Structures are given as C-alpha cells and as structure tokens.
Amino acid sequence: MPIIKSEYTASGIFKNAHVSSIYAATLRKVDFSFTAKNRIELSDGDFLDLERSFYSSKNNKIVILLHGLAGNANRPYMLGMAKHFQKNGWDVASMNFRSCSGEMNRLYRSYHAGATKDLEAIINHLQQENRYKEIALVGFSLGGNLMLKYLGEQNQIPSEIKSAVAVSTPCDLGASLEELDKTHNFLYSKRFIKNLKKELQLRQTHFPSEISKEEIKQCNSLLAIDELYTSRAHGFKDASDYYKKCSCIGFLPEIKTPTLLLNAQNDTFLSPNSYPIAVAKHSEFLHLEIPKHGGHVGFFQSKKPYYHEQRALEFITERKSITSESAK
C-alpha cells in the first residue's frame, strides 16, 4: 500500500513532542466511564479483567482496546478512544493486561509486549457471546506491538476481525528501549522504572522465592527490569531474546488484515524501525501514516476528538465499506 499522507498538523505548543505527550498522558480529562466488567478465567489458572461499554443491546460490532506499558483500561488515551467509538455506534471492550486492573494476578508471570495468547483469550470470549459479527482492534504503544504481532503470527485470523489500528507503536522493542534511555527521554524512563519497580515489589511479597528485594533495588533501567523479570518470568533466555522474539517488526509482512500503523515522526520513544516504509509499500494490508507531530499518543485537536481517535474510526469504517462493497 502507498504510504498515507497525513492530514494532521498540531497547533501552537502541541507541535512540541514533549508537550503533546505529557499533556495527553497526565493532564487530559475524558468524561467517560465503563459500565460493566468481565473477569476472564485463563487456561493457566490466571485471569484478565475486561472493561465493557455498550452502545445498544442489539449492537453487533465491538472494538477491543489494548493499553501500553504500565497502563490500564482507564488511562485517558483508552477512555478517549472508547468514548469516540461508543458515540459512533460501537460496543467497547477495553483490556486490562494481567495485574493492571488494580488487583494483582495470581501467577508470578504478568504481561509483556508479545503475550498474544491473552488477546486471543479475549477474542475467544467475545466470539462465545455469539453477538458480534465485526471485531476491530486498536492497540497503543506496547499494546500496539502485541496486536500487530498477533495479526502477523496467526495462520488464521477469526473472520469477525475486519480491521486494526496501532498507535504510537515501538515495532522494534530493543531499539525503542535504547531511545527511551536517551537523555531527552529521562523523565519518561524514570516514570516507567518507578511504576514497574513498585509492581515488582508487590510481586516480591507474593513470590519471595522468585525475586529478592535487593535484585529489585539494583534495577535502575528498563533493560535491567527486562533482564531480571520480564524475560525470565515469561520463558525467554534474556532481554535480548525477549525483544527479538516479541518485536512486531518481524511479523508485519505476514499481516493479512487491513491495518493502520499511525506513528508520529516526532515520537521520541520510537526508533527508525518503527517506521516500516518498505514493508508498507509492499503490503496489501499494512497502511502506514507518519504525521509530522503527535509525540507519543499526543495527537491533540482543540474541541475535537484526538486525531488518532478520529483516524482510527475513519480507517475502520472505510475498511468496512470496502469489505461490504466487495461482497456484492
């Protein structure tokens, strides 16, 4: 597919990547709340909590939202997307990854950027409701990587999944971690480290034989956390093995579902591999849009939905129109 020419241009101070990223993550307020919660019991004895909102009792289309690192279903970017889709006729299912719903999960393992079996469990659950003829996927950052990996690694995607959108997605996990370690991303990396270490300390109280307080104390980088916990707890040799096997960059050519990857040119979290121009040019299904501005999930628009919310609904609606027309 040709690279999509973006229509988004930020105004004023929101042209600055840090302003747009920080405002969207910490200052944005979204007047929206979910109306129901489902607990999904998993085959390994763990659980996932799913936040739900319904447009109508007879609706047959739903969007699944996947959050980013150290996020949850009620972060502003998740609520903003949920509000925009529900307002326009969609039911919403917003994932909380393991341990992200306010209650620690049962197992020592939790979530990571390649844990596609958990997304598969949510999709299976919705299929078993026998209600939805159309399922759309929208993933942010780490959740975008997980979603793209899922779409590219599956031999057969459920027929209900018609389209997908990934926003501010690090397609090469190792290279993007190197970007986060740079001086201009100091505040972001420190915030991630603080939140993740807090989670590890809680996990240590439940699994003292698996990880020690001293090991956690010595973790002063995201790489160190992935070496100590993320890789070991989830069956990888080390952090490098985890990044190699879970980065969606290697799965993009295999995607056979209409998919939009929306990554801002000035996103300070992303490495060059997160702009897979060559792959998109040779793919029938992967659409790549690179706005000049937007930072990391910071596509601000005054008195409007954020651009990534507007764009996600547009793309998914366009794909539905094309599919319906081709079926005639």
Side-chain angles (χ1 to χ4, degrees), residues 69 176-177 180-181 188-194 196 219-228 230 239 243:
L69 180 66
S176 291
L177 182 138
L180 269 173
D181 275 343
Y188 309 116
S189 62
K190 286 300 179 183
R191 185 184 183 196
F192 281 133
I193 292 166
K194 179 182 178 181
L196 293 172
C219 285
N220 293 314
S221 70
L222 292 170
L223 175 61
I225 292 173
D226 285 340
E227 287 282 5
L228 173 66
T230 314
Y243 302 146

Side-chain angles (χ1 to χ4, degrees), residues 170-204:
C171 299
D172 184 330
L173 298 173
S176 291
L177 182 138
E178 291 178 4
E179 293 296 321
L180 269 173
D181 275 343
K182 292 181 178 179
T183 304
H184 61 264
N185 282 323
F186 175 81
L187 292 177
Y188 309 116
S189 62
K190 286 300 179 183
R191 185 184 183 196
F192 281 133
I193 292 166
K194 179 182 178 181
N195 290 337
L196 293 172
K197 288 181 72 171
K198 183 178 179 180
E199 170 66 22
L200 284 182
Q201 288 161 359
L202 177 63
R203 199 162 295 277
Q204 193 278 330

Side-chain angles (χ1 to χ4, degrees), residues 134-178:
E134 180 177 1
I135 298 175
L137 307 176
V138 178
F140 297 90
S141 198
L142 176 146
N145 181 90
L146 190 157
M147 182 198 78
L148 293 171
K149 177 176 178 283
Y150 166 81
L151 292 173
E153 73 182 0
Q154 300 293 315
N155 292 324
Q156 186 173 358
I157 299 294
S159 60
E160 294 91 342
I161 297 178
K162 308 297 185 183
S163 54
V165 177
V167 180
S168 300
T169 298
C171 299
D172 184 330
L173 298 173
S176 291
L177 182 138
E178 291 178 4

Side-chain angles (χ1 to χ4, degrees), residues 107-161:
L107 305 182
Y108 180 59
R109 62 153 296 172
S110 56
Y111 71 96
H112 62 82
T116 53
K117 290 295 182 183
D118 287 357
L119 173 57
E120 187 176 345
I122 296 298
I123 294 169
N124 290 341
H125 174 81
L126 294 175
Q127 286 179 301
Q128 289 167 11
E129 292 183 0
N130 294 317
R131 175 176 178 176
Y132 298 108
K133 295 181 179 180
E134 180 177 1
I135 298 175
L137 307 176
V138 178
F140 297 90
S141 198
L142 176 146
N145 181 90
L146 190 157
M147 182 198 78
L148 293 171
K149 177 176 178 283
Y150 166 81
L151 292 173
E153 73 182 0
Q154 300 293 315
N155 292 324
Q156 186 173 358
I157 299 294
S159 60
E160 294 91 342
I161 297 178

Side-chain angles (χ1 to χ4, degrees), residues 24-25 30 67-80 191 195:
V30 180
H67 63 76
L69 180 66
N72 59 56
N74 286 287
R75 289 295 170 89
Y77 60 88
M78 296 284 278
L79 296 176
R191 185 184 183 196
N195 290 337

